[in-house]
């Protein structure tokens, strides 16, 4: 019996001994790793691990600092299970830490070249936010060391170091930035070396070949988006969630993309490279502002000439880039042009506006408005020189059209006196913005002039042209001058063409009532009006509701009195001058009333014929195109074009006519005078309505 018990005991001890011997190599490998890790001996740790583990998890001198972040369980270990691995020299060993069955690690052991078994990897079961997952220590260490390498490269590394740790898309965008701009990006994100080396405990979330790593910083949190490519981790984007709003960087990829677009835009603008600008600007900005503009007239600062570092503000779908120069700063407004919600789609930014700010705060100039203003001015100036009425109407303000160009549409402006504007293209000197008013200062011929535009952005219209003059008797405003010269020109043109409706629309209600509303053809006595009235005015005087225009001089010309009716100036009286003597001057309204008065008797007819005969001694109406008669009188001499008061009184008494004419319709509208007419060549036979 005793012999049997002794034999059984010896058999049991032998089994235990055999079991211990079977796990001795695994225990030795795991114990060597655990002891080196516990002692913080990096060299011994490297000796107890495989080449693959060394390359991924222990490649840095700071690897021990990062491995502590993983918080691997420590204590007495006992092997629970050993399985053969997928390879011949590989084993999978399940180890329990202490007495708790919940603290278990899975070691992967491999046999190295000298026959020793070493640790190739460790798998830890981790529980996070209600989810349990098994993570590889090698993968986690590789990721943490990649984060460390990223921080080192972005704090003290050179340009190549910065680009080497980034994913291809981010690296491509960063490589397009000037060195100083790249340095400003990295500094804004990771801060100084001291801050990057401060104590931190990264929080890493792995999902296959992607990971999100959050690092606490003094200024907030640094969030790295990382991607695994060719078995190495690269940073695909960085966000800085700073406590101060001014320091926040929602996305380095977006920031760098917008910054790259801004830099390329400024370089292309400086080179007038419109083929490149069409790719960098929004279609609207390019088409309305850049396409036809002379970019050299409005220089913008470039990154190489900037007086201070740039500023960049990134918003949801927009970005603002600000670059200062010596006397002004430029702000580029960029907009994202593609869908931000599509994963993996790189951002694309386009410049939609450039705004120049004077450093003293006196000016704010939008490039679109500036070039639109310049382009509109040049088109208007060309149309004015070419007498192109449709283009003038298209580029002028509503008020300019209403008071001048719309009135000229039926007859054109071929003979309109515009001698004050030189027949040369303007050269832009400067552009000044005053809210909704834009002033383009130019040199045109011998004169400095100012084109005044109203409106905003792409809808800028010419409202006036300021033409300085040494003659204080003439207004400097071209629009105000044309407002009173136009009806004179229209009346003369209507007489020349035998167009009574045109004459009626340019005459006052009183003039129409007494004369033009009574006839269907042009009276012969009016035939010389074009000779006297067409030409560059020598004097223009404007009151609140009246105006006076003088054409020619004391030897030949006319003095026209105008009144404002329904917002437009119209001719109320015209004094025709053929010489200095009183007999060589007569009021057109009186003479025409005399012709119309032939209905009252032969004396009136005879008087009218005598008046007309005197007028007939003057030159004929002249060629189709109006030209100003030569003047022998010096314009510096006082001009007296007033009629002889007693002669006028006698004439009015002789030809007193009370015949009523057409009255203004109710509501203030002018009567319609659109009846077709033809010139009556007879001296005394008038056609009366």
């Amino acid at each position: 019996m005793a012999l049997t018990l002794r034999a059984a005991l010896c058999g049991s001890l032998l089994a235990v001994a055999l079991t211990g011997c079977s796990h001795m190599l695994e225990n030795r490998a795991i114990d060597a790793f655990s002891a080196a890790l516990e002692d913080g001996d990096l060299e011994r740790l490297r000796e107890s691990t495989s080449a693959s583990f060394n390359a991924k998890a222990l490649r840095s001198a700071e690897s021990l600092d990062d491995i502590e972040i993983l918080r691997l369980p420590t204590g007495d270990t006992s092997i629970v299970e050993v399985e053969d691995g997928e390879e011949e020299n590989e084993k999978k060993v399940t180890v329990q830490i202490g007495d708790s069955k919940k603290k278990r690690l899975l070691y992967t052991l491999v046999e190295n070249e000298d026959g020793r078994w070493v640790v190739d990897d460790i798998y830890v079961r981790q529980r996070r936010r209600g989810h349990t997952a098994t993570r590889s220590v090698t993968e986690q260490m590789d990721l943490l060391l990649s984060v460390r390498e990223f921080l080192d490269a972005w704090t003290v590394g050179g340009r190549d170091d910065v680009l080497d740790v980034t994913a291809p898309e981010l690296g491509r965008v960063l490589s397009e930035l000037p060195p100083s701009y790249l340095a400003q990006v990295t500094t804004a994100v990771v801060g100084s070396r001291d801050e990057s080396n401060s104590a931190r405990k990264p929080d890493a979330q792995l999902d296959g070949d992607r990971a999100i790593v959050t690092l606490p910083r003094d200024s907030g949190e640094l969030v790295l988006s990382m991607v695994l490519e060719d078995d190495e981790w690269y940073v695909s984007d960085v966000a800085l969630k700073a406590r101060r709003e001014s320091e926040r960087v929602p996305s380095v990829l977006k920031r760098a993309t917008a910054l790259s677009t801004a830099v390329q835009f400024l370089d292309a603008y400086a080179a007038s490279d419109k083929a490149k600008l069409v790719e960098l600007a929004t279609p609207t900005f390019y088409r309305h502002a850049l396409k036809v503009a002379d970019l050299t007239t409005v220089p913008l600062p470039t990154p190489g000439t900037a007086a201070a570092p740039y500023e960049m503000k990134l918003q949801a779908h927009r970005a603002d880039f600000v670059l200062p120069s010596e006397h002004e700063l430029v702000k580029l407004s960029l907009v994202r042009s593609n869908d931000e919600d599509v994963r993996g789609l790189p951002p694309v930014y386009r410049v939609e506006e450039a705004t120049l700010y004077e450093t003293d705060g006196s000016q704010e100039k939008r490039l679109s408005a500036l070039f639109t203003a310049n382009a509109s001015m040049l088109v208007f100036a060309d149309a004015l020189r070419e007498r192109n009425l449709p283009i003038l109407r298209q580029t002028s303000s509503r008020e300019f059209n209403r008071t001048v160009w719309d009135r000229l549409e039926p007859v054109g402006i071929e003979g309109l006196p515009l001698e004050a504007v030189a027949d040369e293209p303007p050269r832009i000197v400067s552009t000044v913005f005053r809210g909704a008013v834009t002033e383009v200062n130019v040199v045109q011929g011998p004169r400095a002039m100012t084109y005044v535009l109203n409106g905003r952005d792409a809808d800028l219209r010419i409202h006036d042209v300021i033409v300085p003059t040494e003659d204080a008797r003439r207004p400097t405003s071209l629009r105000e001058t044309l407002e009173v010269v136009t009806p004179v020109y229209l009346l003369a043109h209507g007489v020349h063409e035998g167009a009574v409706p045109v004459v009626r629309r340019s005459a006052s209600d009183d003039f129409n009532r007494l004369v033009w509303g009574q006839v269907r053809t042009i009276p012969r006595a009016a035939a010389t009006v074009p000779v006297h009235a067409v030409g560059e005015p020598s004097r223009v005087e404007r009151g609140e509701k009246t105006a006076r225009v003088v054409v020619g001089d004391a030897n030949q010309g006319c003095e026209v009195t105008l009144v404002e009716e329904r917002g437009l100036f119209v001719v109320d009286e015209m004094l025709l001058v053929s010489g200095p003597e009183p007999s060589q001057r007569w009021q057109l309204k009186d003479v025409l009333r005399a012709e119309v008065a032939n209905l009252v008797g032969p004396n009136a007819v005879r008087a009218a014929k005598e008046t007309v005969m005197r007028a007939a001694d003057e030159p004929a109406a002249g060629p189709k195109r109006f030209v100003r008669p030569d003047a022998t009188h010096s314009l510096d001499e006082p001009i007296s074009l007033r009629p002889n008061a007693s002669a006028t009184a006698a004439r009015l008494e002789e030809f007193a006519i009370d015949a009523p004419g057409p009255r203004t319709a109710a509501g203030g509208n002018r009567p319609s005078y659109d009846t077709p007419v033809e010139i009556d060549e007879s001296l005394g036979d008038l056609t009366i309505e």
Side-chain angles (χ1 to χ4, degrees):
M1 181 68 180
L3 182 61
T4 303
L5 180 60
R6 188 180 295 111
L9 180 58
C10 289
S12 177
L13 291 173
L14 180 61
V16 171
L18 290 173
T19 304
C21 290
S22 64
H23 296 322
M24 182 177 62
L25 298 177
E26 292 85 348
N27 272 320
R28 182 181 298 172
I30 294 172
D31 287 344
F33 176 85
S34 299
L37 181 62
E38 199 168 322
D39 294 341
D41 191 332
L42 183 58
E43 289 303 318
R44 286 168 50 201
L45 199 60
R46 286 172 175 167
E47 292 176 359
S48 62
T49 56
S50 66
S52 175
F53 192 92
N54 270 271
K56 290 185 176 294
L58 303 177
R59 63 179 181 266
S60 171
E62 291 84 9
S63 295
L64 288 173
D65 296 334
D66 288 339
I67 205 169
E68 290 181 2
I69 298 174
L70 301 182
R71 296 181 180 179
L72 297 177
T74 58
D76 296 334
T77 61
S78 58
I79 296 177
V80 176
E81 183 180 12
V82 177
E83 296 179 353
D84 292 333
E86 297 176 358
E87 302 294 334
E88 183 178 352
N89 62 340
E90 181 184 78
K91 293 183 179 182
K92 295 182 178 181
V93 182
T94 303
V95 175
Q96 180 174 310
I97 310 299
D99 297 330
S100 176
K101 294 183 179 180
K102 294 183 178 180
K103 292 184 178 181
R104 290 187 174 183
L105 300 176
L106 176 61
Y107 280 79
T108 300
L109 306 179
V110 296
E111 188 177 9
N112 63 11
E113 294 178 354
D114 60 5
R116 290 186 305 109
W117 287 89
V118 293
V119 174
D120 186 57
D121 206 348
I122 307 170
Y123 294 89
V124 183
R125 182 174 295 177
Q126 297 175 334
R127 185 175 181 83
R128 179 185 179 85
R129 298 175 183 175
H131 299 282
T132 302
T134 300
R135 301 294 186 189
S136 164
V137 170
T138 303
E139 290 180 355
Q140 294 182 77
M141 283 295 296
D142 187 24
L143 179 63
L144 292 176
L145 289 175
S146 297
V147 171
R148 179 181 292 276
E149 291 161 357
F150 163 79
L151 294 174
D152 290 343
W154 278 44
T155 51
V156 297
R159 182 181 182 86
D160 292 339
D161 298 322
V162 170
L163 301 178
D164 286 344
V165 297
T166 58
E169 182 61 31
L170 179 58
R172 179 190 63 79
V173 175
L174 293 175
S175 67
E176 296 172 349
L177 301 180
S180 60
Y181 281 37
L182 179 59
Q184 195 171 339
V185 169
T186 57
T187 302
V189 173
V190 301
S192 64
R193 181 180 179 86
D194 293 338
E195 185 175 2
S196 67
N197 288 336
S198 61
R200 64 194 188 284
K201 293 182 179 180
D203 178 29
Q205 303 177 43
L206 282 80
D207 182 12
D209 61 351
R210 296 183 178 275
I212 301 295
V213 180
T214 303
L215 294 93
R217 314 289 286 169
D218 293 343
S219 58
E221 287 184 340
L222 191 65
V223 181
L224 307 181
S225 299
M226 307 190 71
V227 60
L228 186 65
E229 294 186 3
D230 298 329
D231 208 29
E232 293 187 15
W233 288 101
Y234 297 96
V235 175
S236 60
D237 201 359
V238 186
L240 178 60
K241 298 181 178 180
R243 296 180 181 89
R244 297 179 181 176
E245 185 177 357
S246 60
E247 298 178 355
R248 293 173 188 169
V249 180
S251 167
V252 167
L253 178 60
K254 295 178 183 177
R255 183 187 184 99
T257 302
L259 186 57
S260 176
T261 300
V263 170
Q264 292 182 65
F265 177 88
L266 291 175
D267 288 340
Y269 185 95
S272 295
D273 187 351
K274 295 189 178 181
K276 187 67 174 177
L277 288 174
V278 72
E279 301 174 0
L280 299 169
T282 61
T284 300
F285 185 41
Y286 179 79
R287 185 172 60 253
H288 290 166
L290 304 176
K291 184 176 181 179
V292 298
D294 181 1
L295 306 184
T296 61
T297 61
V298 187
L300 297 180
T302 60
T305 61
Y310 69 86
E311 295 181 13
M312 172 69 75
K313 185 176 182 181
L314 202 64
Q315 300 173 348
H317 296 279
R318 307 181 61 82
D320 290 329
F321 169 84
V322 178
L323 184 66
S325 62
E326 185 176 357
H327 300 295
E328 60 187 4
L329 57 86
V330 59
K331 182 181 79 171
L332 300 184
S333 301
L334 301 99
V335 60
R336 180 163 180 173
S337 60
N338 62 345
D339 191 353
E340 188 176 8
D341 298 328
V342 179
R343 182 176 179 179
L345 187 65
V348 177
Y349 286 90
R350 295 285 182 265
V351 178
E352 70 169 358
E353 183 60 276
T355 307
L356 291 167
Y357 298 88
E358 299 289 343
T359 53
D360 59 3
S362 61
Q363 283 284 312
E364 174 184 338
K365 298 178 285 187
R366 296 182 314 280
L367 208 60
S368 61
L370 194 152
F371 281 137
T372 301
N374 291 352
S376 297
M377 182 277 299
L378 291 173
V379 172
F380 178 91
D382 288 343
L384 197 62
R385 291 163 48 220
E386 297 168 1
R387 304 295 194 266
N388 190 327
L389 184 56
I391 299 299
L392 287 173
R393 296 182 65 216
Q394 184 178 344
T395 55
S396 296
S397 67
R398 181 179 301 179
E399 183 67 9
F400 210 157
N401 279 324
R402 185 186 69 83
T403 58
V404 179
W405 308 127
D406 288 350
R407 303 181 69 182
L408 291 164
E409 184 180 13
V411 301
I413 60 172
E414 182 64 25
L416 188 68
L418 294 170
E419 296 176 11
V421 181
D423 189 18
E424 297 181 23
R427 178 173 59 84
I428 299 174
V429 176
S430 64
T431 305
V432 181
F433 292 88
R434 307 184 190 280
V437 177
T438 303
E439 298 176 356
V440 182
N441 299 309
V442 306
V443 173
Q444 190 165 349
R447 287 191 175 96
M449 299 166 52
T450 300
Y451 288 80
V452 181
L453 299 91
N454 278 357
R456 292 188 180 276
D457 300 329
D459 190 26
L460 287 172
R461 306 296 180 92
I462 302 293
H463 185 65
D464 203 353
V465 181
I466 305 303
V467 184
T469 175
E470 297 179 357
D471 188 353
R473 298 170 296 183
R474 296 195 56 173
T476 59
S477 166
L478 178 65
R479 179 174 60 83
E480 292 182 0
T481 300
L482 291 180
E483 284 178 354
V484 295
V485 171
T486 293
V488 178
Y489 169 76
L490 286 172
L491 189 142
H493 187 282
V495 170
H496 185 273
E497 297 297 316
V500 173
V502 173
V503 175
R504 290 169 175 170
R505 284 193 292 269
S506 60
S508 67
D509 288 345
D510 185 64
F511 210 163
N512 280 317
R513 180 180 64 84
L514 297 176
V515 178
W516 304 114
Q518 305 293 335
V519 300
R520 290 184 298 170
T521 58
I522 300 297
R524 181 63 175 169
T528 59
V529 167
V531 177
H532 294 84
V534 174
E536 187 71 16
S538 57
R539 182 181 303 178
V540 176
E541 300 174 356
R542 282 192 54 159
E544 184 176 352
K545 295 291 184 179
T546 61
R548 176 171 168 261
V549 175
V550 177
V551 178
D553 51 34
N555 294 312
Q556 181 162 309
C558 69
E559 178 182 334
V560 184
T561 302
L562 301 100
V563 295
E564 184 178 344
E565 294 179 356
R566 289 167 287 280
L568 297 174
F569 278 96
V570 288
V571 175
D572 187 59
E573 180 59 282
M574 181 177 290
L575 175 66
L576 303 181
V577 178
S578 294
E581 300 301 325
S583 62
Q584 296 174 303
R585 306 179 181 192
W586 65 95
Q587 295 282 8
L588 180 64
K589 187 188 294 185
D590 295 343
V591 173
L592 296 181
R593 282 189 64 187
E595 285 205 38
V596 174
N598 66 65
L599 291 176
V600 302
N603 291 335
V605 175
R606 185 168 52 256
K609 287 185 176 181
E610 292 175 357
T611 303
V612 174
M613 290 299 294
R614 288 198 303 270
D617 292 335
E618 300 295 332
K624 185 83 170 180
R625 182 173 179 179
F626 298 151
V627 294
R628 178 183 172 183
D630 293 334
T632 58
H633 184 80
S634 172
L635 294 179
D636 294 331
E637 298 179 20
I639 300 176
S640 177
L641 300 182
R642 295 295 181 185
N644 186 293
S646 59
T648 302
R651 190 177 299 126
L652 291 176
E653 182 178 355
E654 180 181 1
F655 302 130
I657 300 177
D658 295 324
R663 298 182 179 274
T664 302
N669 295 324
R670 296 180 63 84
S672 174
Y673 298 125
D674 294 333
T675 307
V677 299
E678 58 183 12
I679 294 180
D680 186 354
E681 298 295 342
S682 66
L683 294 180
D685 298 332
L686 300 180
T687 304
I688 306 297
E689 288 185 333

